[in-house]
């Protein structure tokens, strides 16, 4: 089967978004590490790897259908944040933009009756629900535990427990 040019472009754009997310989380991890938030740093290093697996999933999908993926250049990321809360908020906004892009691709697949891409995207739709929930839950902690040093320390400890290995890109 052949993908439409519109779908190829949308999938390539998604490769760019996932690569940007990976870079942006790497920069967040780096800022957290230097600032002394070790738990958050570990969390975002893992998150950065996870985004790379998302990118690879799409690259492999395109390649499996004989379309050579355009590997994008990505823009420079923000390297400094006012606070951990601002950083988490930025991550949530990032995920919301990714969700929108995924949903847009699902609509294209539906319109074009591209069943294979539609099924392929199902994994991403579910993943985005989890991704947004993850960051919303962390943001809630600032209200629950506080924004003073002790509160932030508790949130950092929570993030340390949440840092898990990325999913297998071939899964
Ligand atoms: Fe690949 Fe966090 O979306």
């Amino acid at each position: 089967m052949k993908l439409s040019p519109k779908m190829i472009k949308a999938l390539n754009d998604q490769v760019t978004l996932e690569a940007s997310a990976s870079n942006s989380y790497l920069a967040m991890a780096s800022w957290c590490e230097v600032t002394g938030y070790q738990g958050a740093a570990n969390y975002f290093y893992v998150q950065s790897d996870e985004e790379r697996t998302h990118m690879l999933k799409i690259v492999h999908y395109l390649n499996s259908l004989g379309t050579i993926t355009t590997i994008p250049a990505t823009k420079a990321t923000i390297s400094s944040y006012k606070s951990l809360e601002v950083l988490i908020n930025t991550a949530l906004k990032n995920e919301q933009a990714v969700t929108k892009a995924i949903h847009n691709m699902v609509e294209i697949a539906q319109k074009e009756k591209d069943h294979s891409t539609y099924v392929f995207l199902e994994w991403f739709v579910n993943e985005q629900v989890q991704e947004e929930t993850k960051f919303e839950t962390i943001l809630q902690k600032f209200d629950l535990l506080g924004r003073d040093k002790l509160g932030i320390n508790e949130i950092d400890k929570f993030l340390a427990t949440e840092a898990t290995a990325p999913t297998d890109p071939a899964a």
Side-chain angles (χ1 to χ4, degrees), residues 25-26 28-29 32 40-48 87-88 91 135:
Y25 293 150
L26 179 60
M28 288 179 183
C32 289
N42 291 344
Y43 183 89
F44 278 100
Y45 279 125
V46 171
Q47 192 67 36
S48 171
L87 182 150
I88 303 287
F135 288 119

Side-chain angles (χ1 to χ4, degrees), residues 29-93:
S30 184
W31 180 82
C32 289
E33 191 170 26
V34 168
T35 311
Y37 301 140
Q38 201 51 54
N42 291 344
Y43 183 89
F44 278 100
Y45 279 125
V46 171
Q47 192 67 36
S48 171
D49 285 346
E50 199 171 296
E51 295 304 342
R52 186 176 153 76
T53 68
H54 298 172
M55 180 186 74
L56 283 175
K57 255 182 190 289
I58 304 165
V59 170
H60 291 317
Y61 179 67
L62 280 163
N63 292 349
S64 73
L65 294 171
T67 308
I68 295 172
T69 316
T70 313
I71 304 300
T74 53
K75 285 192 203 139
T77 58
I78 301 170
S79 54
S80 178
Y81 290 88
K82 237 169 86 181
S83 67
L84 187 60
E85 188 176 8
V86 169
L87 182 150
I88 303 287
N89 224 329
T90 307
L92 176 62
K93 294 252 160 60

